Amino acid sequence: QSAREGGSPAIPLSRFWEVYRTEGVPREIIDEMRQNVEMFAQDECHDEETKRTAAEIMDYRDDAEYKSGVVVKNLSEGETSVEDIRAGLTELISLAQAQSAREGGSPAIPLSRFWEVYRTEGVPREIIDEMRQNVEMFAQDECHDEETKRTAAEIMDYRDDAEYNSAVVVKNLSEGETSVEDIRAGLTELISLAQAQSAREGGSPAIPLSRFHEVCTMDGVSYEVVTPEMKSDIKRMRKECADESARDAAKSILKYLDESELRDVKLYIDEHATGTKSYISSVASKLPMPVMFSSKPKEAGSGGSCVPGGKIMSLFFECCDKVDGCLYPGRAPERAFVSDTSEINKWLQVAVAAVLVDVASSGNNESDDLSGVGAVKKAWDAANDKYDGTFKDFVSQSFLGEDEQETLVEQLKDVKFYDQFKYYPPKGGWRCGVCHQRERLVQQKMAEEAAAAEAEAAALRSMSSSTSAPASPTAAAPQSQGADAKDSNEGVLIMGMIERRSGGMTKKWKKQLVKVLFSDSTKVLLYDDPQNPKKHGLIELRDVKAVSKEKSGTFKKEYIFSVTTVKKTYHFATRHVNDLDTWVSVINGCIERING
């Protein structure tokens, strides 16, 4: 029909097309006739119907769906070698490329078959690595249809599978000897995998972060191998990641790193406790210790900052007494004295030293006792997010010198801190003006009462000596230190006439002159019988285990407190509740100073 003038091969070709696409016709028969069929599609002399029919035949001859199906079928039947898999995937890529080159063709089906094969269990990943460039082309080429690009993206995602690559990192680090550089490189790769998953729509960095935690807890791996940049990235993912499991994984890592570092800090504390205590003792009467910190960005135009990133910190101070009417009882920011500073690290050094003394004094190595250090570390982390070093590096820095201390003192003077607070030696802290003035008034009143009591006692002694010889003492003679202390009022913190419950069978209440002496050489509580100078006793404050208020009505007294030593308990009664509070506060303050 093609050779005949005016003839058309369209009808014979359409019958050909009808037969050979019938089920059961061997494809190899069509292959033998390929050249003759192709001629009808290319010859411009043929009519449009002929060329269209020939093109349909050729398309079916090159049917991507059919050939792709054959590849998958062959690979799924029986045993296949690595080379068989490589050859099959290579053929699928070729089919996809052929479809991509054909006008109107789509490589989506061959790619979906490729995707089906290579994610099958047991397919070596290195085969996919060889074909990465060809697969990536389909994801990037804008000429491809959406289904093709989506399938290629899925293949690339699986090629960059975070779970697989994370496991490879852990496996490499757990086999054989690894250096610090190897571990850090592995952790860096896991962070990169986590960031890639975090940036990918619908991706989750949970698995790479879990593997990161796993590496950190391996034997021989120190928390110090984790760089500040890594911690910063993990903190960002904890804050910004939408996936809850990823946030939990990041939180677990940070908690583990913090606890590991705090344990290391505790060892440092134990080794340097003596020097730290001496330092704190020297600065306690000059610089108050903040009870809370809060960092914030430095406003434009404000003074310089010693912290990278330009931040300032709010310092919160509270009164150490907190009696009724106290100006700054603390426990909440609005009830504290607040001062902003740009000298953040200097203040944190002072605070760290004070906390370290508390930890060292506790004698307990459990991590729970590091809560104070942890609070300071949290403030340090917030203020020093760009600091090139660890918290332990910061803790182990030398103490502030005199000039640096004076810088902080001048700052407090500028905000009138010393106008509001006075140093209180018995508690080793600072108390507000109201609490300080109140005790002065109480002490003045008690001094007046003591003077009157002394006069009354002198008169009684005078009367007693003129009428009869003094009675034999009922209390044991005090130690020599107590006798010396009794004859002097040096270091008297509080003194007054209050009642003491005597020992023995009668257990009567007697009004006695009681005073607390606290100095470098003398730390005792004395009680005297005003009617008999030889009847007196003392309590060594270093032997006191507890000072507490007793329930009203105990021993038929309303305002009563007890002083418990290693050997016995003494009971005292006052006339007013304010006197009771003052006695207990002063004695407890002395005990804290002795023990601290």
Side-chain angles (χ1 to χ4, degrees):
Q1 287 295 318
S2 179
R4 180 176 297 159
E5 184 177 353
S8 170
I11 292 176
L13 278 177
S14 65
R15 297 302 187 186
F16 182 100
W17 174 218
E18 181 181 347
V19 171
Y20 101 91
R21 64 183 175 182
T22 303
E23 185 177 354
V25 175
R27 299 287 168 144
E28 58 267 23
I29 294 178
I30 311 304
D31 291 339
E32 298 171 8
M33 306 175 185
R34 174 175 176 74
Q35 186 175 355
N36 292 327
V37 174
E38 193 171 20
M39 175 190 71
F40 294 105
Q42 295 175 353
D43 195 334
E44 294 183 0
C45 296
H46 291 132
D47 58 282
E48 291 304 318
E49 186 179 356
T50 297
K51 288 189 284 186
R52 184 172 59 253
T53 304
E56 288 178 352
I57 295 172
M58 294 300 295
D59 280 347
Y60 193 78
R61 163 59 187 79
D62 290 331
D63 179 25
E65 181 175 2
Y66 166 75
K67 288 193 171 183
S68 299
V70 170
V71 171
V72 174
K73 181 181 178 183
N74 291 339
L75 291 176
S76 62
E77 292 178 349
E79 294 184 2
T80 53
S81 66
V82 171
E83 290 306 316
D84 292 335
I85 296 171
R86 181 181 283 110
L89 291 174
T90 300
E91 185 175 353
L92 291 170
I93 286 290
S94 298
L95 287 170
Q97 290 172 331
Q99 287 296 316
S100 180
R102 177 172 293 153
E103 184 177 353
S106 170
I109 291 177
L111 279 179
S112 65
R113 296 300 191 184
F114 183 100
W115 175 217
E116 181 180 345
V117 171
Y118 100 90
R119 65 181 172 182
T120 304
E121 186 177 355
V123 175
R125 301 286 168 141
E126 59 267 22
I127 294 178
I128 313 304
D129 291 341
E130 299 169 10
M131 306 176 186
R132 176 174 176 77
Q133 186 174 353
N134 292 328
V135 175
E136 194 170 20
M137 174 191 74
F138 294 106
Q140 296 174 351
D141 196 335
E142 295 182 359
C143 297
H144 291 132
D145 58 282
E146 290 303 318
E147 185 180 356
T148 296
K149 288 188 283 187
R150 183 171 60 251
T151 304
E154 289 178 352
I155 295 172
M156 295 302 293
D157 281 349
Y158 195 77
R159 162 60 185 80
D160 290 332
D161 179 29
E163 182 174 2
Y164 167 75
N165 289 328
S166 300
V168 169
V169 171
V170 176
K171 181 182 178 184
N172 291 339
L173 292 177
S174 61
E175 294 178 347
E177 294 184 1
T178 53
S179 65
V180 172
E181 290 73 18
D182 293 333
I183 296 169
R184 184 167 285 135
L187 292 175
T188 300
E189 185 175 351
L190 289 171
I191 286 291
S192 298
L193 287 170
Q195 289 174 324
Q197 287 295 316
S198 184
R200 181 172 292 154
E201 184 177 355
S204 170
I207 291 177
L209 288 176
S210 298
R211 297 298 192 183
F212 188 103
H213 192 185
E214 183 179 345
V215 172
C216 288
T217 57
M218 286 180 177
D219 290 341
V221 176
S222 169
Y223 71 91
E224 293 175 307
V225 76
V226 179
T227 65
E229 291 78 12
M230 292 181 193
K231 289 189 70 173
S232 180
D233 290 334
I234 293 170
K235 288 178 181 178
R236 190 179 306 109
M237 283 185 271
R238 179 189 65 179
K239 181 179 179 181
E240 298 175 358
C241 188
D243 181 32
E244 185 177 356
S245 60
R247 294 197 303 271
D248 289 342
K251 185 177 179 181
S252 296
I253 294 171
L254 296 172
K255 181 181 178 182
Y256 175 79
L257 294 175
D258 285 346
E259 289 176 349
S260 300
E261 188 169 14
L262 288 178
R263 282 192 293 270
D264 211 9
V265 168
K266 181 62 170 66
L267 294 176
Y268 177 86
I269 295 169
D270 294 339
E271 294 172 1
H272 299 82
T274 302
T276 306
K277 287 181 180 180
S278 175
Y279 167 70
I280 285 299
S281 298
S282 69
V283 302
S285 60
K286 184 188 300 184
L287 291 170
M289 302 301 164
V291 295
M292 190 168 65
F293 308 88
S294 176
S295 63
K296 55 188 176 181
K298 178 169 67 71
E299 295 180 2
S302 57
S305 172
C306 63
V307 173
K311 293 186 177 182
I312 61 174
M313 177 174 280
S314 296
L315 309 174
F316 298 83
F317 302 94
E318 66 182 20
C319 176
C320 66
D321 254 8
K322 305 180 184 67
V323 299
D324 291 342
C326 177
L327 292 176
Y328 303 106
R331 298 187 182 89
E334 64 273 11
R335 303 178 68 193
F337 183 94
V338 184
S339 173
D340 288 343
T341 181
S342 61
E343 302 291 346
I344 299 178
N345 280 348
K346 289 185 176 67
W347 275 109
L348 287 176
Q349 276 185 272
V350 175
V352 163
V355 172
L356 299 192
V357 169
D358 289 341
V359 174
S361 300
S362 70
N364 194 326
N365 291 323
E366 296 299 325
S367 60
D368 288 347
D369 288 306
L370 296 175
S371 56
V373 184
V376 178
K377 183 182 184 302
K378 185 177 180 181
W380 180 85
D381 284 338
N384 294 273
D385 50 3
K386 296 182 180 179
Y387 181 78
D388 188 18
T390 65
F391 180 64
K392 183 190 173 184
D393 295 334
F394 176 73
V395 169
S396 58
Q397 289 178 3
S398 58
F399 299 130
L400 295 182
E402 289 291 334
D403 292 343
E404 292 175 306
Q405 293 176 32
E406 275 307 310
T407 300
L408 304 187
V409 169
E410 288 300 319
Q411 175 198 321
L412 293 178
K413 286 181 179 178
D414 290 342
V415 295
K416 310 297 183 185
F417 175 86
Y418 298 107
D419 293 344
Q420 299 284 334
F421 287 83
K422 302 295 181 186
Y423 184 65
Y424 186 45
K427 288 191 174 181
W430 294 75
R431 60 182 181 182
C432 71
V434 168
C435 295
H436 183 75
Q437 184 64 23
R438 179 172 181 175
E439 182 170 339
R440 287 184 60 188
L441 294 175
V442 171
Q443 287 185 342
Q444 181 179 349
K445 176 184 175 183
M446 296 181 73
E448 292 171 355
E449 291 180 352
E454 285 278 17
E456 180 185 350
L460 290 172
R461 285 195 293 268
S462 176
M463 292 175 59
S464 176
S465 62
S466 64
T467 58
S468 61
S472 299
T474 58
Q479 301 173 11
S480 59
Q481 180 192 17
D484 293 340
K486 179 183 181 300
D487 295 334
S488 170
N489 281 337
E490 178 187 357
V492 173
L493 294 182
I494 188 171
M495 178 172 65
M497 291 294 293
I498 61 175
E499 292 182 281
R500 183 182 73 85
R501 191 167 187 257
S502 65
M505 297 293 292
T506 57
K507 299 190 183 305
K508 295 180 179 179
W509 287 95
K510 290 184 178 181
K511 183 177 288 187
Q512 295 191 319
L513 179 63
V514 183
K515 62 179 78 172
V516 174
L517 282 70
F518 194 91
S519 66
D520 291 339
S521 60
T522 307
K523 298 176 177 61
V524 298
L525 181 150
L526 291 171
Y527 52 91
D528 296 331
D529 187 339
Q531 298 188 39
N532 191 338
K534 294 184 179 180
K535 281 190 173 183
H536 61 265
L538 66 83
I539 302 172
E540 290 282 357
L541 294 179
R542 65 170 175 268
D543 294 334
V544 174
K545 298 301 181 184
V547 180
S548 57
K549 300 176 187 178
E550 300 293 344
K551 185 178 180 181
S552 179
T554 302
F555 303 129
K556 299 181 180 180
K557 293 291 181 180
E558 188 171 1
Y559 307 115
I560 182 172
F561 68 93
S562 60
V563 179
T564 303
T565 68
V566 291
K567 293 184 178 180
K568 64 181 294 186
T569 298
Y570 301 81
H571 294 94
F572 298 88
T574 66
R575 291 186 297 174
H576 305 289
V577 65
N578 290 342
D579 296 343
L580 174 65
D581 292 338
T582 302
W583 277 99
V584 172
S585 175
V586 170
I587 299 173
N588 269 327
C590 294
I591 305 306
E592 290 175 8
R593 292 285 286 166
I594 291 171
N595 295 334

